[in-house]
Amino acid sequence: MEINWTLSEPTSKTDLDYAEKQFNVTFPKEYSELVLNYNFAYAKPNCVCVNGRERVFERLLSINESDRTNIFNFSEIVSENCGKNLIAFGSDPFGNYWCFDYNNGNDEPVIVYYDHESAFEYEDYEPQFVCSSFRELLDSITESQEE
């Protein structure tokens, strides 16, 4: 299904390179291409099934450090709360985050869903595995099936 990305904010290859350097990673190619064209954009459709439950992928977080809602601020919060080195790249409308998890040692990070309420409620909280790649995440975004 084709995703329409709207209300994006400008960014540059310099901003992307800076983010990769700060996190000491290479982002997936699909993510890099997407964020260079649609930084901080909203997705439509925006639903992803995670462990049998529909979740919302509302928007990409900005890679511009000067923007308030950026990957740097939220990655720090997520990593501190769950004790893992995660990079938050997207959000839902409820304060939860879609994250790259590079902890598996592969060049291609897996995608996990960070539920902020569960993270604060459970001391041993583990973000939910979503899929094995960013491409797989994009391919799984659909219209809502709930009524």
Side-chain angles (χ1 to χ4, degrees), residues 1-8 34 38 41-46 57-60 141 143:
M1 178 170 281
E2 184 175 336
I3 303 169
N4 293 313
W5 298 95
T6 59
L7 302 175
S8 62
L34 183 66
Y38 300 107
Y42 288 89
K44 193 70 175 169
N46 62 6
F57 187 102
E58 182 182 41
R59 75 179 319 162
L60 294 167
I141 295 177
E143 294 285 348

Side-chain angles (χ1 to χ4, degrees), residues 13-27 31 62-65 71-72 87:
K13 178 82 168 89
T14 302
D15 292 324
L16 180 64
D17 291 344
Y18 175 78
E20 289 183 325
K21 184 176 180 181
Q22 292 302 304
F23 290 114
N24 195 30
V25 300
T26 300
F27 290 124
Y31 171 76
S62 177
I63 62 164
N64 299 336
E65 194 172 31
I71 64 173
F72 304 99
I87 301 171

Side-chain angles (χ1 to χ4, degrees), residues 53-70:
R53 187 167 177 201
E54 201 169 87
R55 301 288 189 179
V56 177
F57 187 102
E58 182 182 41
R59 75 179 319 162
L60 294 167
L61 297 177
S62 177
I63 62 164
N64 299 336
E65 194 172 31
S66 60
D67 290 339
R68 198 179 89 170
T69 307
N70 66 58

Side-chain angles (χ1 to χ4, degrees), residues 59-112:
R59 75 179 319 162
L60 294 167
L61 297 177
S62 177
I63 62 164
N64 299 336
E65 194 172 31
S66 60
D67 290 339
R68 198 179 89 170
T69 307
N70 66 58
I71 64 173
F72 304 99
N73 293 343
F74 291 104
S75 295
E76 184 177 340
I77 291 167
V78 166
S79 293
E80 284 178 4
N81 289 333
C82 71
K84 288 186 167 238
N85 186 21
L86 303 177
I87 301 171
F89 64 85
S91 64
D92 73 7
F94 314 109
N96 304 308
Y97 299 97
W98 301 89
C99 303
F100 291 125
D101 182 349
Y102 284 89
N103 292 297
N104 61 8
N106 296 335
D107 290 337
E108 178 79 15
V110 298
I111 308 303
V112 297

